[in-house]
Amino acid sequence: MSGKPKAAFFDLAGCEGDQLQIANLEEKVLDLINIVEVVSFREIMKEHSDDYDIAFIEGSVTNDHLAERLEEIRENASIVVGLGSCATIGGINSIRNSQDHEEVKHRVYGDQADLFPSWDKAKAIEDVIKVDYHVHGCPIDRDEFIHVVESLVLGKDPEIPNYPVCVECKLNENICAFERDEFCVGPVTRAGCDSCCVNEGTICWGCRGLIDNPNDDAHSDVLEEYGLSAEEVMKKFNLYFGWQQEARKDE
Amino acid sequence: MSKEVNVDVEYLTRVEGHGNIVVNAKDGKIEKCEWQVVEAPRFFESMVVGRSWKELHHITSRICGICSIGHSLTSLKATEEAMGIEISQQDEMLRKLALHGENMQSHILHVGYLALPDLAGVGSVIPLASSHPDELKTVIGLHRLANDMSKLLCGRTTHPQRLIPGGFSKLPTIEELETLKGRLADSVEDLKAVASFVKGLASRFPDFERETEFFSLGHDKEYPLYDGKLKSSDTGTALVEDYLSMTNEYIVPQSTAKYTKNNREAYMVGALARLNNNYDNLSPMAKEVAESFGLEPVCHNPYMNNVAQIVEVVHNVEDSIRLIDLVLDMGLEEQSPYHQPDIDVRAGRGIGAIEVPRGILFHDYTYDDDGICTEANAIIPTNQNHGNIQYDMESLVPQMLADKTEKEIELALEMLVRAYDPCISCSTHYVDVKFV
Amino acid sequence: MNRHSIYEPENAKILNIREQTEKEKLFEIELESGEPLDHDPGQFVELSIAGVGEAPISITSSPTKEGASFELCVRAVGNVTNALHNLKINDEVGIRGPFGTGFDVEEFKGRDVLFIGGGLGLAPLRSLINYVIDRRDEFGKTAILYGCREPCEILYEDELDQWDEMTNMDLHQTVDRCPEGVCWEGNIGVITTLIPHVDFDPDTTIAAVCGPPIMYRFVMEELKNRNLPDEQVFLSLERRMKCGVGKCGHCQIDGLYTCQEGPVFNYADVKDVEEAL
Amino acid sequence: MISKEDFEAFVERLVKEDHREVVGVQEKGDKFVFDELKAAKDLRLDYDVTILPPKKYFMPQRETLVKYKVKDGHKAVNEITPRIILGIHPYDLEAIRQMDKVFSDTYEDKNYLKKREASVLVGVNIENVSEWCFAGSMGTSTIEEHYDLMLTDIGDKYAIEIGSEKGFELLDEADVMEASEDDISAVKKKKEGVKEKFEKKLDLPPEELPILLERSYGNTDFWKEHSEKCYSCGSCNLVCPTCYCFDVKDFNELTLDEGERIRQWDGCLLEEFAIVAGDENFRENRYQRYRHRFMRKGRYIHDRFGDIACVGCGRCGSHCVPDIADPTEIYNDLKEVTK
Ligand SMILES: Cc1cc2nc3c(=O)[nH]c(=O)nc-3n(C[C@H](O)[C@H](O)[C@H](O)COP(=O)(O)OP(=O)(O)OC[C@H]3O[C@@H](n4cnc5c(N)ncnc54)[C@H](O)[C@@H]3O)c2cc1C
Ligand code: SF4
Ligand code: SF4
Ligand code: SF4
């Protein structure tokens, strides 16, 4: 990329909380537009152009229409970055991947259910197109987003942790959930959030997805030892890992 | 006059989520005038079925990134009601503060970053950086304050962590609350500056009125955001339990979203509706600001929703200072930084109703004995406004056909939709989309 | 090193860049202070690029080289090395070091020397080779065995020619494979196939070996067959490094620190260390 | 000697008046941590163990080593906050002694050493023993040197032992009195008594660890079996007072013209600890990483510095969610199987 790279933001099925994190950069947004030229960002601007180098995509793919859009974006962009869990791992949308789709549809739309174009599973964008980088999290961490942008502009690979959240939990001197009679999926979840949910007194829910090589068998055993039923363990994993676990099975 | 007007705005910008505006008019007659919503369905009401009471607020927070605090709180209220969980007076006040924080954040974002560019005649907030650097800096400062406030109370500004069934997992400290109070007090001048800046541009709001019904929470003593009964400007008050009979979801062939109605074909929710229904309970300074804009109940110009938002932010600030004082006077009760309230899990149904930035929000859950959700319903503010937007358009377009250009019509329509500040991504249910 | 902190790189300037292959470039660098590095063959520096990070790189020039500058031969494989490849002459980098234990030249003196280099392994060896050449009379016979995967990956081509022409210097080269259409008249096969070509006396020879991890096992086997005692083999190992000064722990090979006891080890000391080879 | 009342007043004065930051052990939920003291009454000298050791004050979890301006090159940074640290248990003091050695060996790490110099270490003898602690077996339940001051709780007063000039100066402001014979014997009794309180024990003298570990290095089955449930989460590394491995990363401002090089605690149990460019991992298997930690604690550091790098605090065991990191269990089992 010579000169200022052009960036565009897109959203598929998601809550747009990740784009909000970018708006929430406050003054730093001005620094951001100094190093990349934002040519499309529907949430805050009217202008739009299909001439861009980096595409940031939020949200999951859930139907053919979105998949087509995604493919178009891939063709236009030289770098595609997934923004937030829905895009990077299917996110909360993939809870329903373990549910019966007919039931899912009917519960919400009754007899009009079939009017809906929706796949039976919500998918990470990686399921449809090649994705170059991921900014994980629900929502994304602003500092990590800055790190990724900064790295891409400088032409280096961003450093995204591939160790579990427990690492950050230790650095932050938290009391482990398991010592508080709670259940946590931090031991198999990718760090990078600075263990923010545990810092705030709760547990890690798994929003950044599994690390590359999680010991999930061990973790299922441990959760059961601590008192969850096998079904509850599955639900713990289904909250965010639904799409990922299936994708791993296919490998 | 023979004129053909074609307005087709696909993916309207500067709103959350995806919506299209389609207008075809020939020879002064409208052939088509539609507000379409084309968001892919996400099935939240199904996703939560089978999940534990401990997770519902976490999941439903993800319905909307913009008002995730509101969704979390509504969800918690529903769960707490279903299980008969009481929260302390202190926690209730802190929750109200959290809601003020989100309301400020969302309104400032909307007025400052999304609506202001229309008034200033530019395409986005980015050119404002050079055309109105001081004003923009003030807006950013207020936005940061609102976000810091949300973060302090909720852990995070989007998808809050500290809000849990029964209270808070972690509390702010006394020093933090004192600092916040100071910052809020200091922000008043900035708020006034933004208000007068907008006032200078207010003539650009189209002069358009259409009588409609306003629906919100209502309360005798306070400006209701966290608590209250249901209130309609047409039919008066009702109990929250009866929300279904006041919202009446139905499907219309020419649109995509489920509409709602009560007394008329459609009603409006949001800042203007709240203000129209509860003007007397606004804080003193908020009333002053409303007066300065000539905004008084009942105002039927939907574009004035932007002004109502500014008025509400002033109210949020003033009421927050009052709440912080109350909390500090009572003394902050100590709890563990990993607090888990004792909860007696039981079966039941609960309905939560809260005023979130875009209007009244309902979550309605049923739980079984193990605290597993068996049924859920959510009615989102933006959904409730779709019908009203459609009727506004149908009434606005003919008024403009005679002497306005296609561009002007397009802008007026875009501004109309944006005035409602729709958050389409959070809408939970829609019907099929048909493209023209 | 009298810096404020062992982590503070000293500014240095790129004086010259010579492209070696598609992925390797030779950088001539001089410290801002104008002082020579004062290193031993086989030592390395931590090369820093502000905003990108640091990477350990062997010094490929000999301490006997004229002038204060030194050379690094770098393969572009990741963040720091790619960023370095994007720099131009006169650009600045940061340097810490020299660090580690290099080849003990005293041990080599008076002996015949056998150099065995695989791929980029020739980079650290070149420092020692040129040292030996510059002090030719202090050493006995020398032979260089050098192997690459393909002819296009050959480093220091001009220098290889020079070495080849020297008397008292036996140079053998091989490539693992030669793609069609590429001109290559030399040996084809892995580096161990070169060992039978050299004649050396196990009593008087000392070997310096450097290459990718898998090379070592096969080369050592072959040298053993030729009765070269383990104590007379030195090799250079590579590990992840973050500090270069024995603190960060990344480069540990069981109990040994690559950046302290190494990167050059005596084979006898590491042959039984499981993580070493 | 100092009465508890006077001690509290003394600490309160330090908090209010001393120019240095005063940190001490405080409650966090139902655990304890070292944290900045806001009031003397928050100090809990009867704690069992803290989540992280006081090492964090000399080698912070994240620390800037170098700041750079892309145009001006690099500048070393060392942000030092002078501190008085109250309530360090003997095993942690022993760990600090070991760290001092590591960071001054060969290349002096001034980031650590300068912070260390700027600190006053006030120790306290153990009142309550954590269920995971085995300091008794490691000879670290008491310590006679390497502190500036050492407190022992004897009823309504603290005995104070002075370990250095720094400690002596600190006491300048305290209302101390001379110790009586009784006091001295009470302290002695306390120190003797604590040795008996540990439930966890090592079945062999620590001096035998290097040899035991050397012999069992090749017992791959043993290491595989014990590490089967390992998450590679590094918790056991990160809470350890004698672990000091770190990672270094550059972080740029969005303006791209300046930034910081920071070091952050790392752990040899993490999967990518030994990975190099091209993805070769020199300790690819879980068991190798797991084994490495024990080797390092009981053998490698001993070979290099002469210390057994485990002070028996028990933090690793207590923080390991699958409960496989307790050194006494591993070493005792090893002893069994290597008989
Ligand atoms: C003693 C020694 C001498 C070396 N000599 C040379 C040489 O002369 N020429 C040359 O081209 N390369 C040499 N290398 C390898 C070179 O250090 C790596 O290729 C380089 O670190 C990769 O860094 P990067 O930032 O480009 O890659 P990335 O993959 O982006 O590296 C990320 C981080 O991983 C670490 N890392 C990755 N690979 C290695 C590695 N092999 N060794 C140490 N740390 C690593 C670094 O800390 C780096 O910051 C040597 C390595 C060592 C240990
Ligand atoms: S709370 Fe969760 S993430 Fe943190 S240490 Fe415990 S298991 Fe790991
Ligand atoms: S704490 Fe336990 S699970 Fe985590 S790395 Fe250490 S041994 Fe493995
Ligand atoms: S190895 Fe475990 S018991 Fe030993 S010092 Fe480290 S954390 Fe404490």
Side-chain angles (χ1 to χ4, degrees):
Chain A
M1 273 169 279
S2 56
K4 222 154 77 164
K6 298 192 178 80
F9 292 80
F10 300 94
D11 37 41
L12 311 178
C15 77
E16 306 198 10
D18 300 306
Q19 292 179 71
L20 182 65
Q21 300 319 301
I22 296 163
N24 284 350
L25 289 171
E26 320 291 8
E27 279 94 348
K28 284 203 178 141
V29 174
L30 304 176
D31 291 335
L32 179 73
I33 58 178
N34 263 332
I35 61 166
V36 295
E37 187 187 337
V38 179
V39 300
S40 184
F41 196 152
R42 204 191 42 77
E43 201 177 278
I44 58 163
M45 61 194 265
K46 197 169 165 172
E47 297 84 353
H48 166 82
S49 153
D50 281 327
D51 173 21
Y52 44 83
D53 307 297
I54 312 175
F56 292 95
I57 304 175
E58 176 173 358
S60 314
V61 208
T62 57
N63 60 32
D64 294 345
H65 176 66
L66 295 180
E68 280 159 29
R69 260 187 92 207
L70 204 48
E71 271 158 20
E72 268 167 41
I73 296 169
R74 178 71 265 187
E75 257 171 43
N76 288 338
S78 47
I79 299 176
V80 169
V81 185
L83 212 55
S85 303
C86 290
T88 62
I89 58 162
I92 206 90
N93 292 327
S94 65
I95 291 182
R96 68 180 174 88
N97 292 14
S98 57
Q99 299 173 329
D100 180 85
H101 188 55
E102 286 306 307
E103 253 178 59
V104 165
K105 282 194 304 187
H106 279 277
R107 193 172 281 122
V108 182
Y109 300 104
D111 46 11
Q112 261 117 7
D114 286 328
L115 291 173
F116 273 104
S118 178
W119 293 344
D120 58 352
K121 295 196 160 48
K123 297 179 174 181
I125 58 173
E126 192 183 298
D127 204 306
V128 178
I129 58 166
K130 179 178 166 289
V131 179
D132 303 292
Y133 300 99
H134 298 293
V135 187
H136 295 283
C138 185
I140 57 166
D141 179 270
R142 286 171 227 167
D143 289 336
E144 192 171 66
F145 173 76
I146 290 178
H147 173 65
V148 169
V149 174
E150 164 255 295
S151 299
L152 294 184
V153 174
L154 290 177
K156 55 177 191 173
D157 274 338
E159 296 194 51
I160 305 297
N162 185 24
Y163 46 75
V165 178
C166 300
V167 170
E168 290 170 343
C169 231
K170 293 287 132 9
L171 298 182
N172 289 315
E173 212 164 357
N174 279 317
I175 300 182
C176 176
F178 287 91
E179 298 205 61
R180 299 181 263 124
D181 297 324
E182 297 264 349
F183 304 91
C184 178
V185 293
V188 291
T189 302
R190 185 184 302 278
C193 53
D194 197 28
S195 66
C196 61
C197 292
V198 191
N199 301 351
E200 299 305 335
T202 62
I203 54 168
C204 169
W205 308 80
C207 82
R208 293 173 59 90
L210 295 165
I211 47 173
D212 286 350
N213 189 15
N215 200 345
D216 42 353
D217 289 342
H219 197 46
S220 307
D221 290 351
V222 167
L223 287 170
E224 284 186 45
E225 269 164 42
Y226 275 89
L228 286 189
S229 69
E231 197 198 328
E232 286 168 326
V233 171
M234 244 174 52
K235 278 199 197 149
K236 276 261 160 205
F237 282 72
N238 281 344
L239 190 62
Y240 281 100
F241 307 153
W243 173 82
Q244 253 187 326
Q245 279 188 310
E246 236 162 278
R248 277 185 344 134
K249 260 188 254 150
D250 295 344
E251 258 172 28
Chain B
M1 192 181 85
S2 122
K3 181 163 130 192
E4 190 169 327
V5 175
N6 275 306
V7 176
D8 191 345
V9 183
E10 195 185 345
Y11 290 156
L12 178 63
T13 55
R14 284 186 278 131
V15 299
E16 331 294 346
H18 306 129
N20 303 334
I21 299 170
V22 180
V23 174
N24 298 327
K26 227 183 192 151
D27 301 332
K29 279 235 294 279
I30 298 174
E31 294 189 334
K32 190 181 189 81
C33 172
E34 274 181 22
W35 165 232
Q36 303 179 332
V37 174
V38 291
E39 187 76 10
R42 294 176 67 210
F43 306 106
F44 271 94
E45 289 145 318
S46 281
M47 289 203 293
V48 295
V49 170
R51 309 294 315 194
S52 150
W53 63 279
K54 280 191 154 185
E55 298 173 331
L56 256 71
H57 64 287
H58 180 94
I59 298 172
T60 52
S61 166
R62 271 74 188 167
I63 292 176
C64 174
I66 320 297
C67 33
S68 56
I69 294 176
H71 273 284
S72 297
L73 288 174
T74 315
S75 178
L76 292 173
K77 275 185 87 179
T79 299
E80 285 159 359
E81 191 188 284
M83 303 198 178
I85 303 164
E86 302 253 332
I87 68 163
S88 70
Q89 203 189 345
Q90 166 189 298
D91 287 357
E92 186 175 303
M93 289 196 284
L94 292 173
R95 283 185 177 181
K96 285 180 174 174
L97 275 172
L99 207 54
H100 279 324
E102 177 171 83
N103 208 52
M104 285 160 63
Q105 185 280 128
S106 177
H107 283 357
I108 293 164
L109 181 86
H110 182 244
V111 175
Y113 296 4
L114 311 184
L116 213 51
D118 282 333
L119 297 179
V122 291
S124 78
V125 66
I126 294 170
L128 288 183
S130 38
S131 65
H132 298 83
D134 292 339
E135 288 82 356
L136 185 62
K137 240 172 80 193
T138 311
V139 170
I140 291 177
L142 290 167
H143 193 244
R144 181 193 294 87
L145 168 62
N147 268 330
D148 289 350
M149 175 166 169
S150 303
K151 181 169 160 49
L152 175 63
L153 289 145
C154 305
R156 182 161 67 184
T157 55
T158 306
H159 304 324
Q161 300 119 326
R162 294 186 181 184
L163 311 175
I164 55 167
F168 284 79
S169 60
K170 188 175 177 179
L171 293 179
T173 63
I174 290 173
E175 296 81 58
E176 287 168 336
L177 286 172
E178 279 167 349
T179 313
L180 174 65
K181 187 184 137 186
R183 288 181 63 192
L184 286 167
D186 292 345
S187 74
V188 171
E189 283 311 306
D190 287 346
L191 265 178
K192 286 187 173 158
V194 171
S196 74
F197 177 53
V198 173
K199 209 164 72 201
L201 300 167
S203 60
R204 306 228 180 141
F205 287 125
D207 185 17
F208 164 74
E209 291 199 344
R210 185 182 69 84
E211 235 182 78
T212 190
E213 177 182 357
F214 294 98
F215 182 44
S216 69
L217 287 179
H219 199 289
D220 304 341
K221 297 202 183 66
E222 59 183 44
Y223 191 79
L225 293 170
Y226 183 75
D227 237 347
K229 293 194 174 121
L230 305 182
K231 182 167 181 182
S232 150
S233 56
D234 283 0
T235 61
T237 53
L239 295 174
V240 170
E241 292 94 282
D242 299 327
Y243 80 103
L244 286 175
S245 68
M246 291 195 68
T247 49
N248 303 303
E249 284 187 303
Y250 70 104
I251 291 158
V252 284
Q254 90 276 15
S255 181
T256 65
K258 275 191 191 173
Y259 281 31
T260 51
K261 64 175 179 180
N262 180 33
N263 189 40
R264 315 178 187 222
E265 67 281 4
Y267 58 76
M268 182 178 184
V269 300
L272 187 62
R274 286 192 288 260
L275 186 137
N276 277 335
N277 282 350
N278 300 285
Y279 185 86
D280 289 344
N281 290 334
L282 278 172
S283 71
M285 219 187 320
K287 275 191 200 144
E288 267 172 46
V289 173
E291 274 161 29
S292 77
F293 277 91
L295 172 61
E296 54 184 41
V298 174
C299 167
H300 284 289
N301 180 348
Y303 291 96
M304 287 303 273
N305 195 43
N306 290 308
V307 175
Q309 288 178 327
I310 297 174
V311 172
E312 277 198 345
V313 173
V314 177
H315 173 84
N316 294 143
V317 168
E318 254 188 311
D319 198 50
S320 295
I321 294 173
R322 183 185 67 89
L323 284 167
I324 295 174
D325 279 335
L326 278 175
V327 171
L328 293 178
D329 279 353
M330 285 184 0
L332 205 58
E333 211 162 300
E334 279 194 27
Q335 65 174 46
S336 156
Y338 304 91
H339 183 61
Q340 275 301 322
D342 268 334
I343 279 161
D344 193 8
V345 176
R346 56 167 123 126
R349 176 177 171 203
I351 300 157
I354 277 187
E355 283 289 346
V356 296
R358 286 159 194 77
I360 190 164
L361 167 67
F362 299 96
H363 283 218
D364 173 358
Y365 308 147
T366 309
Y367 286 107
D368 70 10
D369 290 333
D370 300 322
I372 302 295
C373 177
T374 56
E375 232 186 294
N377 185 32
I379 296 183
I380 271 82
T382 296
N383 267 5
Q384 301 172 66
N385 273 335
H386 286 320
N388 219 53
I389 296 177
Q390 173 74 35
Y391 288 110
D392 276 354
M393 278 192 187
E394 287 174 14
S395 136
L396 176 65
V397 172
Q399 291 180 25
M400 299 187 83
L401 273 181
D403 57 351
K404 298 282 195 255
T405 65
E406 205 171 275
K407 270 258 137 322
E408 286 168 327
I409 298 177
E410 182 178 318
L411 180 65
L413 288 176
E414 281 190 21
M415 282 175 71
L416 173 74
V417 176
R418 274 200 284 271
Y420 280 84
D421 191 8
C423 174
I424 302 163
S425 56
C426 72
S427 308
T428 44
H429 24 65
Y430 291 109
V431 295
D432 194 17
V433 183
K434 290 197 189 62
F435 290 95
V436 269
Chain C
M1 228 180 33
N2 59 13
R3 309 251 78 206
H4 303 294
S5 135
I6 49 175
Y7 304 111
E8 185 181 76
E10 183 174 347
N11 285 351
K13 192 187 249 169
I14 300 177
L15 300 184
N16 199 2
I17 303 174
R18 273 188 294 155
E19 200 150 313
Q20 295 284 306
T21 71
E22 214 175 290
K23 284 184 129 177
E24 282 102 359
K25 285 184 183 173
L26 185 67
F27 296 84
E28 186 188 348
I29 294 172
E30 188 173 282
L31 297 178
E32 197 171 63
S33 64
E35 298 286 318
L37 254 194
D38 194 16
H39 67 284
D40 298 331
Q43 280 194 304
F44 66 95
V45 292
E46 282 284 351
L47 173 112
S48 165
I49 297 187
V52 185
E54 289 189 314
I57 305 289
S58 303
I59 304 151
T60 190
S61 52
S62 161
T64 52
K65 178 184 149 306
E66 274 184 34
S69 68
F70 57 94
E71 289 168 333
L72 306 177
C73 178
V74 180
R75 174 180 291 173
V77 293
N79 283 342
V80 175
T81 49
N82 284 332
L84 180 68
H85 272 238
N86 286 335
L87 294 183
K88 294 179 286 300
I89 291 175
N90 282 331
D91 280 346
E92 301 224 325
V93 294
I95 295 287
R96 294 193 293 128
F99 294 132
T101 306
F103 293 101
D104 182 354
V105 285
E106 296 308 315
E107 276 286 314
F108 283 69
K109 283 187 180 158
R111 310 237 205 170
D112 298 337
V113 189
L114 174 62
F115 299 96
I116 304 179
L120 193 55
L122 190 60
L125 280 187
R126 174 176 173 258
S127 179
L128 184 62
I129 293 172
N130 282 332
Y131 183 90
V132 170
I133 288 173
D134 288 343
R135 303 188 168 196
R136 198 63 200 85
D137 46 351
E138 294 175 31
F139 302 87
K141 278 198 310 181
T142 53
I144 303 174
L145 310 185
Y146 174 42
C148 292
R149 276 180 304 194
E150 293 186 9
C152 65
E153 292 179 6
I154 295 172
L155 299 171
Y156 310 115
E157 282 193 87
D158 333 343
E159 241 164 312
L160 285 168
D161 291 342
Q162 287 171 23
W163 295 343
D164 201 19
E165 280 159 22
M166 286 181 187
T167 47
N168 233 343
M169 172 78 85
D170 200 10
L171 175 76
H172 297 273
Q173 276 181 262
T174 185
V175 294
D176 294 356
R177 55 179 181 267
C178 182
E180 239 166 276
V182 177
C183 165
W184 175 249
E185 286 162 8
N187 192 62
I188 295 191
V190 293
I191 192 151
T192 42
T193 60
L194 291 180
I195 297 179
H197 294 275
V198 280
D199 186 29
F200 60 83
D201 177 356
D203 291 339
T204 59
T205 299
I206 199 157
V209 187
C210 192
I214 41 157
M215 187 188 100
Y216 290 111
R217 224 166 304 137
F218 298 106
V219 166
M220 292 321 302
E221 211 163 289
E222 211 49 43
L223 292 179
K224 203 168 235 146
N225 291 340
R226 298 284 297 273
N227 297 319
L228 190 65
D230 295 341
E231 292 75 19
Q232 282 160 233
V233 181
F234 289 84
L235 32 84
S236 176
L237 299 180
E238 229 178 68
R239 288 295 182 274
R240 187 187 187 86
M241 272 179 201
K242 286 296 182 179
C243 72
V245 290
K247 311 282 188 242
C248 80
H250 285 272
C251 72
Q252 253 194 332
I253 302 174
D254 286 323
L256 301 168
Y257 276 94
T258 312
C259 70
Q260 303 275 280
E261 287 84 24
V264 177
F265 293 93
N266 186 299
Y267 179 62
D269 293 338
V270 293
K271 66 175 180 190
D272 295 324
V273 176
E274 188 183 290
E275 291 180 354
L277 296 168
Chain D
M1 305 302 303
I2 188 166
S3 75
K4 283 194 173 166
E5 215 172 293
D6 288 344
F7 182 74
E8 191 171 318
F10 165 62
V11 173
E12 194 67 46
R13 242 190 342 266
L14 288 179
V15 170
K16 294 240 161 67
E17 286 160 24
D18 201 280
H19 67 282
R20 290 163 289 193
E21 183 177 297
V22 181
V23 300
V25 179
Q26 298 168 55
E27 280 174 38
K28 176 168 187 176
D30 55 359
K31 303 276 168 201
F32 298 95
V33 295
F34 280 96
D35 204 353
E36 189 181 350
L37 270 184
K38 299 253 162 63
K41 67 169 176 21
D42 296 337
L43 184 65
R44 285 288 302 271
L45 292 178
D46 59 340
Y47 73 102
D48 53 0
V49 65
T50 54
I51 300 178
L52 289 181
K55 175 184 79 185
K56 65 181 180 180
Y57 293 118
F58 320 127
M59 184 191 180
Q61 292 92 319
R62 292 188 186 90
E63 166 179 24
T64 306
L65 293 179
V66 169
K67 283 194 179 161
Y68 49 79
K69 285 221 164 84
V70 170
K71 293 224 165 59
D72 292 344
H74 313 67
K75 268 235 145 18
V77 175
N78 195 358
E79 284 149 11
I80 301 164
T81 311
R83 282 196 185 91
I84 302 167
I85 306 175
L86 301 175
I88 310 174
H89 274 168
Y91 51 78
D92 276 339
L93 286 164
E94 164 62 15
I96 293 171
R97 183 190 68 80
Q98 293 189 12
M99 290 302 97
D100 291 353
K101 233 189 216 181
V102 167
F103 284 104
S104 40
D105 178 61
T106 317
Y107 295 94
E108 289 196 347
D109 185 314
K110 296 198 178 120
N111 285 71
Y112 174 95
L113 294 171
K114 287 252 161 81
K115 290 190 183 70
R116 177 67 185 81
E117 266 168 41
S119 310
V120 184
L121 309 185
V122 180
V124 65
N125 273 310
I126 306 171
E127 265 301 299
N128 290 301
V129 163
S130 107
E131 56 169 324
W132 294 90
C133 188
F134 54 101
S137 306
M138 305 309 288
T140 55
S141 60
T142 59
I143 192 165
E144 297 305 327
E145 282 175 287
H146 309 297
Y147 50 74
D148 296 308
L149 291 178
M150 183 61 144
L151 306 171
T152 310
D153 182 336
I154 48 169
D156 55 358
K157 50 194 173 180
Y158 290 112
I160 309 179
E161 290 164 88
I162 299 171
S164 74
E165 192 63 28
K166 258 197 225 169
F168 184 77
E169 279 167 18
L170 188 70
L171 275 188
D172 225 21
E173 318 235 322
D175 279 325
V176 289
M177 47 205 170
E178 211 51 49
S180 67
E181 286 293 318
D182 282 356
D183 292 337
I184 292 171
S185 70
V187 169
K188 220 170 147 197
K189 225 171 101 199
K190 257 266 145 80
K191 288 187 189 170
E192 283 304 313
V194 72
K195 293 200 169 70
E196 309 306 316
K197 287 194 186 167
F198 299 91
E199 268 168 47
K200 292 244 182 236
K201 287 192 178 68
L202 204 59
D203 298 342
L204 66 160
E207 304 80 65
E208 284 177 21
L209 282 173
I211 295 170
L212 176 70
L213 284 164
E214 189 173 352
R215 276 206 219 124
S216 40
Y217 183 95
N219 190 348
T220 308
D221 287 344
F222 177 89
W223 298 111
K224 280 194 173 150
E225 199 182 301
H226 283 76
S227 64
E228 200 189 319
K229 286 218 168 96
C230 176
Y231 293 150
S232 301
C233 72
S235 295
C236 48
N237 295 132
L238 296 162
V239 297
C240 178
T242 68
C243 269
Y244 55 87
C245 292
F246 57 85
D247 192 9
V248 179
K249 296 179 187 172
D250 280 15
F251 286 101
N252 293 306
E253 294 293 326
L254 253 187
T255 49
L256 299 188
D257 52 2
E258 58 185 319
E260 300 188 353
R261 181 162 294 161
I262 62 136
R263 79 160 149 205
Q264 176 178 318
W265 292 1
D266 206 339
C268 59
L269 268 288
L270 302 181
E271 189 174 1
E272 297 192 346
F273 188 78
I275 221 166
V276 299
D279 282 349
E280 171 133 29
N281 191 344
F282 289 96
R283 234 173 270 123
E284 192 171 7
N285 296 310
R286 257 174 238 285
Y287 86 87
Q288 294 172 310
R289 299 191 290 270
Y290 179 88
R291 176 180 66 189
H292 186 72
R293 180 173 81 98
F294 289 103
M295 290 293 155
R296 196 171 148 114
K297 297 284 145 193
R299 182 177 152 215
Y300 302 153
I301 295 205
H302 179 264
D303 292 352
R304 187 168 293 260
F305 298 110
D307 298 315
I308 298 292
C310 171
V311 296
C313 69
R315 289 184 176 98
C316 53
S318 80
H319 285 95
C320 176
V321 174
D323 192 12
I324 54 167
D326 175 6
T328 59
E329 236 167 82
I330 299 305
Y331 295 141
N332 293 345
D333 278 6
L334 264 185
K335 190 182 170 217
E336 274 304 301
V337 300
T338 3
K339 246 185 210 155

